[in-house]
Amino acid sequence: MTQTPLNSQPYDQLTASADDISDKNITDLFHRIIDSFKRAPQSENVPIDMNQQKERANLINNIEKDETGLHRTLKNRHLQMITIGGAIGTGLFISSGTALATGGPGALVLDFIIIGFMLFNVCMALGELCVVFPVSGSFIAYGSRFLDPAWGFAMGWNYALHKLIVIPLELTAAGIVINYWTTSINIGVWITIFLVFLLIINLFGVRGYGEIEFYMSIIKVIAVIGFIILGIVLVFGGGPNHQYIGGKYWIHPGPFANGFKGVCSVFVTAAFAFGGTEMVGLVAAETDNPLKTIPRATKQVFWRITIFYVVSLALIGCLVPYTSPRLLSGSSSYDASASPFVIAIEDAGFKVLPSIFNAVILCAVLSVGNSNVYGASRTLCALAENGQAPKVLAYIDRKGRPLSAVALSIIIGLLAYINCANVGTQLFQWLLALSGLSSFFTWGSICACHIMFRSAWKAQGHTLDELVFVAPLGIVGSYFGLLLNILCLIAQFYIAVSPIHGSVTARSFFEAYLAVPIVIISYIVWKIWKKTPFMRPSTIDLETGRRMLNVQQLIDEEKAERRSWPIWKKMFYECC
């Protein structure tokens, strides 16, 4: 019997077979999508036994999932760009205008240098901790482990509330930025579009977050570098107006506005601008090789602070006088028309460039919104895993997405529609007051955790030779960082009780300082309710979640790898 060749089958049979295969593929894809939303297998949520960790020491960096079920899919390029451009947002591009008007160019640069130095020590301390303990929640979990579970609860919820509240604010800000071009479309339409955009990104998991931040960070970095080059040209008389500016605005109206109070008031703006730098700690649990990527990312903090903030803001002080009415003329603190960057470009006589830079500001706003959804969801998930939030928020699906926490973050984003009403602005001022000083609590806690970690490390018989990455200034840098955070809180208290304009009222005080009593009350309530202990160096847990590594072998391997590098790469590695 002769077998009929495939190509001799009737056309309708071939078509039917192709349709069956297509339907099967669609059905399989549908089932895979549905299955991906199911909870990660229980085995993925059980901490790895320490003996198994020791046996797998040489393979530890290749683990694809965190013990909680989060996926380690962030690559080195993602973390590098998140670290470089993650904190470049509305704080730098827009809020710096209000700070310039309040404190003057001298206060602006001085405060950013102080906060930058403080943050350098914070990031170095966080980098050291994350390399040893790249656990879910990072500094949220460290607060409970190294200080006090009650403090971890208070600090973690303060940080989570800050991230949650900023999400609807950034959605509103994105709509306001678009008003630079057109006001014919209701801002609620833009809020809806951007909210759906954030939801879709976060449904792709950490890889989606990483990819979006990678490209948006590239845009922001190019924009800042381009502005620095343009600013230098304008200061020395380039540009359409060909007017030499030099440092005349530093002389008249002068470097400082409102004296010492002006300097104190700018600290909060600087902290807001740098907010998000600590995200390198949150992504540690979802980084494929934290041993190499985290130290490299944290070492870039100094250069980012120096180039992107200090240099660009020093040029802003040369190009825009702090007496310019446009700095405070915007309808909102997020209004791009009040951006000193846009003002400087427009004053120089450029026609199209302001619109281009406004588009960069829009990218920055959406980037901050995306980062806040990520940060809020991971913080809530970590709190739930530590028993400090409802357990439902610890739900992680098979793709490593903390679905419940992401859903809550997006739902909170719906509050952006309140800004369409007149009462919305007042409501959000009070919501922001709940966590307005979040960055100082977070950064100070990281420094305190590093101090306690070093004390426990020494008390339990370990040496610094066992650490792959050591903070350059060590425990001294963390003491400096902690002290500066405390001084910033004191400075903000001074402004709260003695405002620059007008007299103090109960409303103005609590709008500026409500976060402090809320954190203290949260700490005391959890302390009494759970009877949590104060951590002591001799009893602190240094094993759970710790990377068990042959440090000397890894160091030798890295040195051998670096010897094969060309000279330019060695120099770049040492500097960056």
Side-chain angles (χ1 to χ4, degrees):
M1 182 176 180
T2 306
Q3 185 176 4
T4 304
L6 179 63
N7 57 10
S8 66
Q9 292 181 13
Y11 175 79
D12 56 346
Q13 292 183 12
L14 289 174
T15 304
S17 299
D19 290 341
D20 290 341
I21 294 173
S22 177
D23 291 341
K24 185 177 184 300
N25 290 337
I26 294 174
T27 303
D28 289 344
L29 176 62
F30 177 76
H31 284 305
R32 285 199 302 270
I33 293 174
I34 297 299
D35 288 341
S36 71
F37 289 98
K38 295 180 179 178
R39 184 185 288 273
Q42 188 65 28
S43 59
E44 294 178 0
N45 293 320
V46 177
I48 300 175
D49 182 74
M50 294 312 300
N51 291 328
Q52 292 178 345
Q53 279 193 330
K54 292 178 182 179
E55 293 172 3
R56 297 166 62 188
N58 295 329
L59 300 176
I60 198 70
N61 289 320
N62 294 322
I63 296 177
E64 294 182 354
K65 294 183 179 68
D66 178 71
E67 290 84 352
T68 61
L70 295 174
H71 287 201
R72 292 197 175 105
T73 54
L74 279 182
K75 303 299 182 183
N76 178 56
R77 65 182 179 90
H78 295 133
L79 193 59
Q80 298 301 316
M81 291 310 301
I82 289 171
T83 306
I84 293 173
I88 300 177
T90 51
L92 175 63
F93 289 138
I94 301 179
S95 298
S96 58
T98 304
L100 177 61
T102 305
L108 190 65
V109 174
L110 176 63
D111 284 16
F112 270 77
I113 290 175
I114 293 173
I115 297 295
F117 174 72
M118 176 180 70
L119 198 56
F120 172 78
N121 289 294
V122 170
C123 287
M124 293 301 105
L126 183 59
E128 182 177 311
L129 289 170
C130 286
V131 170
V132 182
F133 302 101
V135 296
S136 173
S138 173
F139 47 84
I140 307 301
Y142 300 154
S144 296
R145 175 181 293 201
F146 297 113
L147 301 177
D148 185 340
W151 181 253
F153 168 82
M155 188 267 289
W157 270 105
N158 183 261
Y159 187 79
L161 283 174
H162 174 71
K163 292 295 182 184
L164 287 171
I165 293 168
V166 171
I167 293 170
L169 281 178
E170 296 298 334
L171 290 170
T172 305
I176 293 174
V177 169
I178 290 183
N179 284 343
Y180 183 87
W181 295 297
T182 177
T183 57
S184 60
I185 300 176
N186 188 283
I187 192 174
V189 175
W190 300 116
I191 290 174
T192 303
I193 293 173
F194 296 138
L195 188 62
V196 173
F197 174 70
L198 294 182
L199 175 61
I200 292 173
I201 291 174
N202 283 273
L203 285 180
F204 281 99
V206 65
R207 194 63 179 268
Y209 162 76
E211 288 294 339
I212 290 296
E213 285 303 298
F214 176 77
Y215 291 108
M216 285 192 173
S217 292
I218 290 177
I219 293 173
K220 291 186 289 185
V221 168
I222 292 174
V224 174
I225 293 176
F227 177 83
I228 290 174
I229 296 172
L230 175 64
I232 294 173
V233 172
L234 294 177
V235 166
F236 288 97
N241 293 337
H242 299 290
Q243 179 184 4
Y244 176 78
I245 299 175
K248 69 176 184 179
Y249 293 140
W250 283 76
I251 300 173
H252 180 76
F256 295 98
N258 301 306
F260 181 67
K261 286 186 179 181
V263 173
C264 291
S265 67
V266 177
F267 278 122
V268 174
T269 303
F272 176 72
F274 280 117
T277 308
E278 72 284 342
M279 290 285 287
V280 67
L282 282 181
V283 303
E286 298 177 84
T287 304
D288 66 342
N289 190 351
L291 175 64
K292 288 188 176 182
T293 55
I294 292 177
R296 290 180 183 177
T298 53
K299 282 177 13 179
Q300 293 177 350
V301 172
F302 173 78
W303 296 109
R304 185 181 67 226
I305 291 169
T306 303
I307 297 175
F308 297 147
Y309 285 90
V310 177
V311 174
S312 62
L313 291 177
L315 289 170
I316 285 293
C318 293
L319 297 171
V320 181
Y322 72 76
T323 54
S324 173
R326 295 182 60 189
L327 292 173
L328 298 174
S329 64
S331 60
S332 165
S333 59
Y334 285 95
D335 196 334
S337 64
S339 167
F341 290 82
V342 174
I343 293 172
I345 295 172
E346 289 181 341
D347 288 349
F350 291 99
K351 301 300 181 183
V352 179
L353 196 56
S355 290
I356 296 175
F357 208 88
N358 195 65
V360 173
I361 293 176
L362 178 61
C363 288
V365 171
L366 294 176
S367 173
V368 173
N370 184 39
S371 294
N372 280 291
V373 172
Y374 177 88
S377 61
R378 268 56 180 184
T379 301
L380 291 170
C381 186
L383 287 168
E385 289 164 2
N386 291 333
Q388 297 169 337
K391 281 295 182 184
V392 67
L393 295 175
Y395 185 98
I396 298 176
D397 68 11
R398 295 181 177 180
K399 291 295 183 180
R401 298 169 295 202
L403 282 184
S404 299
V406 170
L408 178 60
S409 303
I410 296 298
I411 290 172
I412 296 297
L414 296 174
L415 290 175
Y417 292 109
I418 297 177
N419 278 320
C420 297
N422 294 330
V423 72
T425 303
Q426 297 178 2
L427 175 61
F428 269 108
Q429 285 178 346
W430 284 107
L431 289 174
L432 273 178
L434 292 174
S435 57
L437 303 175
S438 171
S439 294
F440 294 127
F441 285 112
T442 301
W443 299 339
S445 297
I446 291 171
C447 292
C449 287
H450 182 241
I451 293 169
M452 287 297 292
F453 163 71
R454 283 290 191 92
S455 299
W457 194 253
K458 181 179 179 180
Q460 297 183 30
H462 297 284
T463 65
L464 296 183
D465 292 336
E466 298 176 59
L467 299 177
V468 178
F469 174 70
V470 178
L473 299 182
I475 196 172
V476 175
S478 292
Y479 273 115
F480 267 114
L482 179 58
L483 176 62
L484 287 173
N485 275 285
I486 294 173
L487 291 176
C488 287
L489 288 172
I490 294 173
Q492 181 62 10
F493 179 79
Y494 172 59
I495 294 299
V497 298
S498 180
I500 294 176
H501 303 293
S503 57
V504 62
T505 63
R507 175 176 176 175
S508 65
F509 174 81
F510 284 110
E511 282 184 351
Y513 221 68
L514 182 60
V516 174
I518 291 295
V519 170
I520 294 174
I521 292 172
S522 300
Y523 171 75
I524 293 174
V525 169
W526 194 261
K527 184 78 175 176
I528 295 174
W529 184 23
K530 293 294 184 178
K531 298 180 175 61
T532 60
F534 292 106
M535 297 293 104
R536 291 182 295 179
S538 60
T539 59
I540 287 176
D541 179 13
L542 294 178
E543 298 301 323
T544 305
R546 177 180 155 204
R547 291 297 179 216
M548 308 297 289
L549 300 168
N550 185 333
V551 177
Q552 190 56 49
Q553 179 183 349
L554 291 171
I555 292 175
D556 292 341
E557 290 176 356
E558 185 174 358
K559 287 181 178 179
E561 179 184 354
R562 274 185 283 176
R563 281 196 293 269
S564 64
W565 290 352
I567 296 177
W568 69 266
K569 190 173 182 179
K570 292 179 181 177
M571 295 176 63
F572 179 81
Y573 178 84
E574 292 299 327
C575 296
C576 303

